[in-house]
Amino acid sequence: MAEGITDLRQKLQNRDRLPQRLTMQASRKRRRSADDLEFEQARPEPGISDRSARQKDFTSPPKDRQDELRRIHQGIRQRILFSHEECEKIEEKIEEIILRADRGYYKEHTVDRAPLRVKYFFGEGYTYGSQLERKGPGMERLYSKGDVDDIPDWIFKMVVSRLVEAKIVPEGFVNSAVINCYLPGGCIVSHIDPPHIFARPIVSVSFFSDSALCFGCKFSFKPIRVSKPVLCLPVARGCCTVLSDYAADEITHCVRPQDIKHRRAVIILRRVRDDAPRLAPTTEVQMVHVNHDRREEDNRTSTDDRLSTFHSDSSYKHGNLQSMNRIVIKGPKLDVNHISPREKISTDERHQATPERHPPTPERHVVSHLSTTSSHRRVKLYRPKHQ
């Protein structure tokens, strides 16, 4: 028997006298392990929210601040997944993304620029904030298929594969990747990732520098100010942060300007629901680029097609008529014998004033075009010259 303990009853009495701090730490460890086990057992299938899978009800408001903090912490998991060397390799890939975007290699909706912050959408992109046609929660819409670039292979090989190995997300869960790049002082306002578009959990990995993720803040602008957060969560470089339940669905999260002290990038990995609403495909008008000068334009006359030309204000001011865009508008044939009333009056007066040398001819060549100085349509009548 252990030294100083004579029988089992004395040992149990000494155990009851252990400091309360040690027993509380043990209970916390047991609770965390139970939460992790619950997360693994109830992990959602692709396209299904883990909130509905766990069947937890968070509709009732928290009783007090401590209850709200407890709910937030229950919906947050953090883990350092990437070493310093691994972070450097991933950061080199992010630099390549930025360089390609600056050179214009990506599609229009792939890159979304804001002051001190740039978002790069891959796989899926969606409208938010000022881009919404109608404001309010639930109005977010996915872009049409193919409007953003595909997810780069290195994200799957270097980032997603580590999440699968750590059993944070199942294989095939991620179909949307967003890279947020912040300069010092950059921010993203309080929001909830739209639940009608993204399944849970929401996974993010931080690079370049340490920062923080805040919950329950309110923003005001001109100048920008942020209220005190309910929770300020430190986020280290190489750290993976997973949001679910109350932390993802019932309280907003944000990145404050004061938390971005150095350059930072975050890769957000999510699952887009199969039934998420999309924008209707947009139809594009194709322009034909032609090179011509004024002399060639004057010689192009046709009664079958009405040709209208236009050019930018800058090219008109500087007299650059070498490169213009042409739209060919198909329409009915013009009446070559038609004479406007004004033209008829001027013609009659001219015939009365001077004797007629040649018999009149009904043949007319009519050219309809847009004036280069105004948008009014002019009709010119040309008579063939007599030999």
Side-chain angles (χ1 to χ4, degrees), residues 62-74 76 190 212-219 226-234 246-247 250-254 256 258-259:
K63 300 178 182 179
D64 50 21
R65 182 181 178 85
Q66 294 299 323
D67 185 30
E68 187 173 27
L69 286 173
R70 180 185 60 81
R71 294 187 183 188
I72 296 174
H73 280 292
Q74 285 181 348
I76 298 175
S190 298
L213 186 66
C214 292
F215 294 83
C217 292
K218 294 183 179 180
F219 277 68
V226 187
S227 65
K228 184 178 179 180
V230 177
L231 172 66
C232 184
L233 181 71
Y246 189 91
E250 302 298 333
I251 190 169
T252 60
H253 58 272
C254 69
R256 301 180 301 176
Q258 56 265 41
D259 295 327

Side-chain angles (χ1 to χ4, degrees), residues 69-93:
L69 286 173
R70 180 185 60 81
R71 294 187 183 188
I72 296 174
H73 280 292
Q74 285 181 348
I76 298 175
R77 295 180 62 204
Q78 284 187 301
R79 182 176 175 182
I80 300 294
L81 281 183
F82 301 93
S83 63
H84 175 74
E85 292 75 14
E86 292 172 331
C87 287
E88 287 185 339
K89 294 179 180 179
I90 295 174
E91 289 163 1
E92 290 178 359
K93 295 294 184 179

Side-chain angles (χ1 to χ4, degrees), residues 149-358:
D149 290 85
D150 295 332
I151 300 177
D153 292 337
W154 65 265
I155 291 183
F156 285 110
K157 295 178 181 179
M158 303 176 67
V159 183
V160 177
S161 62
R162 295 294 301 276
L163 300 178
V164 175
E165 291 176 4
K167 298 182 179 180
I168 295 175
V169 295
E171 184 75 31
F173 180 82
V174 175
N175 62 0
S176 170
V178 181
I179 301 178
N180 289 348
C181 294
Y182 301 91
L183 292 177
C187 67
I188 185 167
V189 298
S190 298
H191 67 283
I192 293 177
D193 293 36
H196 64 287
I197 291 182
F198 298 109
R200 285 3 184 194
I202 306 297
V203 183
S204 62
V205 188
S206 184
F207 296 100
F208 286 106
S209 65
D210 299 344
S211 183
L213 186 66
C214 292
F215 294 83
C217 292
K218 294 183 179 180
F219 277 68
S220 59
F221 303 93
K222 295 182 180 181
I224 187 170
R225 295 184 298 273
V226 187
S227 65
K228 184 178 179 180
V230 177
L231 172 66
C232 184
L233 181 71
V235 179
R237 178 181 179 228
C239 177
C240 172
T241 302
V242 183
L243 301 183
S244 59
D245 299 334
Y246 189 91
D249 296 334
E250 302 298 333
I251 190 169
T252 60
H253 58 272
C254 69
V255 177
R256 301 180 301 176
Q258 56 265 41
D259 295 327
I260 306 295
K261 300 177 181 179
H262 306 281
R263 181 189 176 192
R264 181 183 180 232
V266 181
I267 301 179
I268 305 173
L269 304 166
R270 295 175 286 202
R271 173 78 185 184
V272 170
R273 296 179 178 278
D274 297 334
D275 58 349
R278 290 185 180 274
L279 294 176
T282 57
T283 57
E284 297 181 356
V285 178
Q286 294 184 353
M287 310 290 293
V288 180
H289 190 75
V290 296
N291 293 326
H292 61 276
D293 54 16
R294 184 185 296 274
R295 187 178 308 170
E296 293 177 353
E297 178 63 25
D298 292 339
N299 293 333
R300 292 185 183 181
T301 59
S302 173
T303 59
D304 294 335
D305 297 335
R306 292 176 294 172
L307 304 181
S308 62
T309 61
F310 70 95
H311 55 81
S312 62
D313 295 338
S314 60
S315 63
Y316 173 73
K317 291 178 182 178
H318 297 288
N320 181 16
L321 298 178
Q322 299 298 323
S323 177
M324 297 197 302
N325 293 319
R326 174 185 296 275
I327 298 178
V328 179
I329 307 175
K330 296 291 183 179
K333 293 184 179 181
L334 296 176
D335 185 6
V336 296
N337 296 322
H338 173 73
I339 302 177
S340 64
R342 182 178 300 178
E343 180 70 15
K344 184 176 181 180
I345 295 174
S346 61
T347 304
D348 294 341
E349 292 177 352
R350 185 166 58 252
H351 286 179
Q352 294 177 1
T354 59
E356 199 172 58
R357 295 183 181 180
H358 302 283

